[in-house]
Amino acid sequence: MKRWLLWIVLVIVGATWAIAVRSALKASAKKEREARYESALQTYSRSLKPGSTRKEVEDYFRANDVTFEQGTSADLVRVGKEETTRHCRDNYVYVAFEFNGTNVLESVKISRQLGGCL
């Protein structure tokens, strides 16, 4: 009986330890991803200032071989993909270049977008 109880305690301790390690690794990976996103944001923010025209921004992308998606009021540069949620297939992270109605850059910021959601 005592041996059986010892095995149960060992399994519980092992499972708890594994969950704690997994959680710590996920937190560390998230912190590293966030640092990469912030670095990309800072790099673009140094080069492309509010007040730039959309043409200037897109010319910068083309000159630097930056792949981007052109939207109505923003251009998006994908900088990461995160774990998907239970209901969505895609979870992308972008640096978003937001333009006003006259195609002048107003802001540069991190944007997250879910896609393929049920």
Side-chain angles (χ1 to χ4, degrees):
M1 183 73 168
K2 289 181 182 180
R3 190 175 286 204
W4 181 76
L5 185 58
L6 177 62
W7 279 108
I8 289 175
V9 169
L10 287 174
V11 167
I12 291 171
V13 168
T16 302
W17 180 82
I19 290 168
V21 167
R22 183 173 185 266
S23 178
L25 291 173
K26 285 181 84 171
S28 176
K30 180 177 175 53
K31 189 174 182 178
E32 288 177 21
R33 285 193 311 273
E34 292 297 330
R36 283 196 313 270
Y37 306 153
E38 187 62 31
S39 175
L41 175 65
Q42 294 305 317
T43 297
Y44 288 122
S45 293
R46 280 192 297 275
S47 300
L48 301 166
K49 305 283 186 201
S52 301
T53 66
R54 188 173 208 151
K55 182 181 181 329
E56 291 170 334
V57 171
E58 292 177 355
D59 286 348
Y60 172 89
F61 293 155
R62 290 181 186 100
N64 290 283
D65 294 320
V66 175
T67 302
F68 67 99
E69 298 174 30
Q70 187 179 45
T72 312
S73 61
D75 286 349
L76 303 173
V77 174
R78 188 182 307 170
V79 293
K81 182 176 183 183
E82 302 204 335
E83 289 183 29
T84 57
T85 65
R86 181 184 228 183
H87 304 288
C88 297
R89 183 179 63 236
D90 302 317
N91 189 5
Y92 293 112
V93 181
Y94 297 92
V95 173
F97 300 82
E98 297 182 337
F99 301 94
N100 65 18
T102 59
N103 284 327
V104 174
L105 184 63
E106 287 189 331
S107 66
V108 181
K109 64 182 185 178
I110 297 293
S111 174
R112 288 173 166 77
Q113 294 185 3
L114 296 173
C117 299
L118 299 175

